[in-house]
Amino acid sequence: MEWWQTGIVYQVYPRSFRDSDGDGTGDLPGIIAGLEHLVWLGVDAVWISPVYPSPMTDFGYDVSDYCAIDPLFGTLADFDTLVARAHALGLRVILDFVPNHTSDQHEWFIDSRNRRNGREDWYIWRDAAPGGGPPTNWLSNFAGPAWGWDDRRGQYYYHAFLPTQPDLNWRNPAVVAAMHDAMRFWLRRGVDGFRVDVMWMMIKDDQFRDDPPNPAWHPGMSSHDRLLPVYTADRPEVHDVVAGMRAVTDEFPARVLIGELYLPIDRLVTYYGLDGKGAQLPFNFQLLLLQDWSASAIADIITRYEAELPPGAWPNWVLGNHDRPRIASRIGPAQARVAAMLLLTLRGTPTVYMGEELGMIDTPIPPAAVRDPAELREPGKALGRDPERTPFPWTDAPGHDFTTGTPWLPFGADTPLSQQREDAGSMLQLYRRLTSLRRANPTLATGAITNVRADGPVLRYERTLGDRKSRVVLNLGVLPAAGWGGGKVAASTHSGRVGTALEGGWYLQPNEGVVLDIEPPG
Ligand code: GLC
């Protein structure tokens, strides 16, 4: 088994993790200082959201140089120190790679606008429609049309996100070669893999057909969702692009390619690629997107996902990230403990979003403090991502030992790490018990998943490896519910259970989950 199959991934949102120089924004020395926490927590790899030079119109997802570090976060030397320190501690480092678009301040785009240095066709340029106006009806993910007018060229350029984030033209071999070189730059510096931003959007229709209307759209939804992205995302040719990126990571031993994919199961599994030569971990966001947090919905997801995985493909699971409301806010703090047990006992690589281990919740942001362009461009639709990006509270000291300055976003009311470390009943201690159990018990990390069932509010499944078996029984409801099967309690969301033996006729408390060990026969 590879490290990215048995391991647990932890996402750091660098602006909000730890600030070393008092400017209120987290940085690389801050991440280095925080690595010990990750080791203590029992995760294996750290995925770092973008730290490249950037005008920060989308907080780093607008890259102006793929082979450097933004001074806000530190220096290349800091980055090298981070990789060395992480590796010495047994942690892998996964870099966020943003290949779909650059910043409009990237020299490639400036060259392209000026038709110079052979970069005319590095971006997606089109003439106006015959009657004037944008060439297609394509919409930006951040409100408005996806076509920006450029006076200098007298043409439109395509931007799936902000007008300051022009999309690269991945049909141009020179773009492909430049991006592959950027990947090699970091692979040579020792990074263990990439999380690829908006992987499914990297190729758009070469015939520039209009996207059809979305019949399910209503005014509460984002304006982008007015259309179905039939011609702007998940195009067949994207798989060649992904295979190319995978070939680059395969030039180096033991690296991983993770893809960001907001797609249903039948589509996301295609990103494993032909003969498994695509992404090793195409992100599975089914739990992140789930509206109806119920035993039957989750049992259905697990069963369908397992059934649709191509031969040899390794599954993965995600509860949250820097773009979506936090799990504890979506399902409540008590149920978030059950969700943690689910995440860490399912078959497949778990990705933990920074702060999930503290049970962090979304923090309401007063209008004057809003930073996220998603909210600023379409206010009042709950599209803003600041609430899930608030700074990590390390202690209850002023500035929570996140910063000595003014934090770039306000702190939430979350219980700090230092306090949770002292409390055996905290979310943090539960997380740590669950990661240790997964590390100590190969059945949970690598065993098969069987007998997945919903029984009213109770979700249950078994994990088996050879003659070893673990049983997971989760109460997703707020009333006591009948348990299932028997065994010795190896972990529980509630105190007083661990080590006890359960046999028929036992009950789960509201919002309780247990992991049971079954003794091998004989
Ligand atoms: C991805 C990132 C998100 C960003 C967008 C555009 O979805 O996770 O934060 O805004 O891509 O790069």
Side-chain angles (χ1 to χ4, degrees), residues 85 98 206 348 406 432 508:
R85 186 85 192 105
V98 191
D206 58 353
T406 308
R432 186 165 188 247
L508 287 155

Side-chain angles (χ1 to χ4, degrees), residues 11 13 47 49-50 58-62 96 98 100-101 141-142 160-162 165 195 197-198 200-201 260 262 321-323 372-374 385 389:
Q11 179 191 359
Y13 191 69
W47 146 31
S49 281
D58 190 19
F59 299 108
Y61 285 94
D62 46 331
D96 211 310
V98 191
N100 178 68
H101 44 269
N141 281 273
F142 291 143
F161 293 90
L162 295 171
Q165 293 171 294
R195 171 268 189 190
D197 193 61
V198 298
W200 82 114
M201 294 191 189
E260 184 198 20
Y262 283 94
N321 62 33
H322 66 295
D323 292 326
D372 182 21
R385 301 166 297 176
R389 295 177 176 180

